[in-house]
Amino acid sequence: MSGAARRDGPIAATTPDGSRLHLQHGPIDLVIEAFGEPAAVAAGYRRAWDRFQPLLDELVAELPALRRPLPEQRAAEPTGPVARRMADAVRPFSADIFITPMAAVAGAVADEICAALAAGGELRRAYVNDGGDIALLLQPGERLDVGLVAVPRRPVLAGKTTIVASDPVRGVATSGRHGRSFSLGIADAVTVLAADAARADAAATVIANAVDLPGHPAIRRVPAAELEPDSDLGGREVTAEVGPLGPDEVDRALAHGVAQAERMRSRGLIVAAVLCLDERIRTVGLPDGSAGRGPSEPVLASGGFGSRAPR
């Protein structure tokens, strides 16, 4: 797969040295890096490409169901492997709040492709980065560094945390009002570490929605359907603009999100979270200083978090 494969439909390309794989089809855009013997890496990339090619068509076939909350699914729950990952990820939240499986789509895609990578059992570590929602593969003794970008419009690292193989984390995801999807809240970015990327994706959405100041005059909201007619949020109002907020207001909005993150952590749904608003950062479940001054080395980043593996 040196160079690019297919100019229409799914596209695959590798860097000249074969170290990274880029897969793209419609809105799905993956950056993949695996570590191991060259033959094992090449085989893993072939498996990822084979699994990736039909994936978007599978999702499109179930899109009407994926845009509805699970309580409305009844006997017509999603059936495809990625769609099931999406439904399973949002299920713990669906009884209490409005959420559809689409809240976990990027993370579920990353998980599915990471599973294909791992199927050979010979890779030491790998990541699949779907626009900032990242699935991880870590064999015993391996580790990955995860870097935080607290303010998406200014991509400067604010800190990092290291995920080792013994940690119960194999997924990292970021949500917020600057992301690819609409947000009901005002968080600049909420990043979640969880057991898999789909669960992290869904949880990040819920926590980012909770970072809010309902009714505040500086926050402009519009129905999601006015911005995107086929949005799964329908007529629900999403955040379009946030004006100046005072320090106490920022702290109050973040406190709502922290409370939600703590509840999720107590239920075992997430491992940790980082919440960012107006250059203020709050953490849940991370060691002190994890979101302090960032490292100087480059980190693969898209959205709130990126990953880097020591070579």
Side-chain angles (χ1 to χ4, degrees), residues 9-38:
I11 295 172
T14 55
T15 53
D17 63 356
S19 64
R20 292 186 186 182
L21 174 65
H22 176 218
L23 301 178
Q24 191 272 328
H25 191 190
I28 305 176
D29 200 320
L30 309 179
V31 176
I32 301 168
E33 188 169 16
F35 300 83
E37 295 299 321

Side-chain angles (χ1 to χ4, degrees), residues 28 62 73 97 153-154 161 164 169 212 229 234 246 252 266 291 304:
I28 305 176
E62 298 197 71
Q73 305 289 350
I97 61 173
R153 63 182 176 272
R154 192 176 69 246
T161 190
V164 299
V169 175
D212 201 8
R252 190 162 73 251
S266 69

Side-chain angles (χ1 to χ4, degrees), residues 17 24 49 74 95 109 121 147 151 247 249 270 303:
D17 63 356
Q24 191 272 328
W49 170 236
R74 297 184 177 90
V109 168
V151 184
E249 293 171 320
I270 69 171

Side-chain angles (χ1 to χ4, degrees), residues 20-301:
R20 292 186 186 182
L21 174 65
H22 176 218
L23 301 178
Q24 191 272 328
H25 191 190
I28 305 176
D29 200 320
L30 309 179
V31 176
I32 301 168
E33 188 169 16
F35 300 83
E37 295 299 321
V41 171
Y45 286 171
R46 284 193 295 271
R47 289 191 300 271
W49 170 236
D50 289 343
R51 180 63 191 97
F52 180 75
Q53 292 178 70
L55 196 150
L56 182 59
D57 290 340
E58 294 173 7
L59 289 173
V60 169
E62 298 197 71
L63 203 52
L66 295 174
R67 287 175 171 162
R68 296 198 304 269
L70 289 183
E72 296 180 10
Q73 305 289 350
R74 297 184 177 90
E77 283 205 9
T79 58
V82 178
R84 288 198 303 271
R85 288 182 187 272
M86 295 163 63
D88 290 344
V90 304
R91 198 178 309 280
F93 315 112
S94 61
D96 304 321
I97 61 173
F98 177 87
I99 189 170
T100 75
M102 293 302 293
V105 60
V109 168
D111 285 333
E112 183 76 3
I113 299 303
C114 193
L117 270 177
E122 297 176 344
L123 296 173
R124 299 197 311 273
R125 58 184 181 267
Y127 63 82
V128 178
N129 187 337
D130 187 358
D133 296 340
I134 304 167
L136 306 174
L137 166 65
L138 292 171
Q139 297 292 1
E142 298 293 337
R143 50 172 267 179
L144 282 163
D145 290 337
V146 178
L148 166 65
V149 176
V151 184
R153 63 182 176 272
R154 192 176 69 246
V156 177
L157 290 178
K160 74 168 186 176
T161 190
T162 298
I163 300 171
V164 299
S166 58
D167 290 334
V169 175
R170 292 298 182 270
V172 182
T174 297
S175 185
R177 69 184 187 91
H178 301 289
R180 297 172 294 176
S181 303
F182 300 134
S183 180
L184 305 179
I186 63 173
D188 289 324
V190 169
T191 299
V192 169
L193 281 64
D196 55 58
R199 187 180 306 184
D201 197 2
T205 299
V206 173
I207 298 170
N209 288 344
V211 179
D212 201 8
L213 295 170
H216 195 288
I219 303 170
R220 184 171 69 88
R221 307 176 197 265
V222 297
E226 289 187 10
L227 301 175
E228 185 178 303
D230 59 355
S231 170
D232 61 319
L233 295 174
R236 287 171 175 78
E237 291 195 333
V238 298
T239 302
E241 185 179 357
V242 178
L245 299 174
D248 291 345
E249 293 171 320
V250 172
D251 288 343
R252 190 162 73 251
L254 285 170
H256 296 320
V258 167
Q260 179 67 270
E262 292 283 12
R263 286 192 291 271
M264 290 184 183
R265 187 166 178 256
S266 69
R267 294 172 60 191
L269 298 176
I270 69 171
V271 175
V274 181
L275 298 76
C276 310
L277 174 60
D278 200 20
E279 303 193 30
R280 294 189 177 220
I281 301 173
R282 299 291 183 271
T283 65
V284 173
L286 285 176
D288 291 341
S290 297
R293 183 172 298 277
S296 58
E297 68 269 19
V299 174
L300 296 174

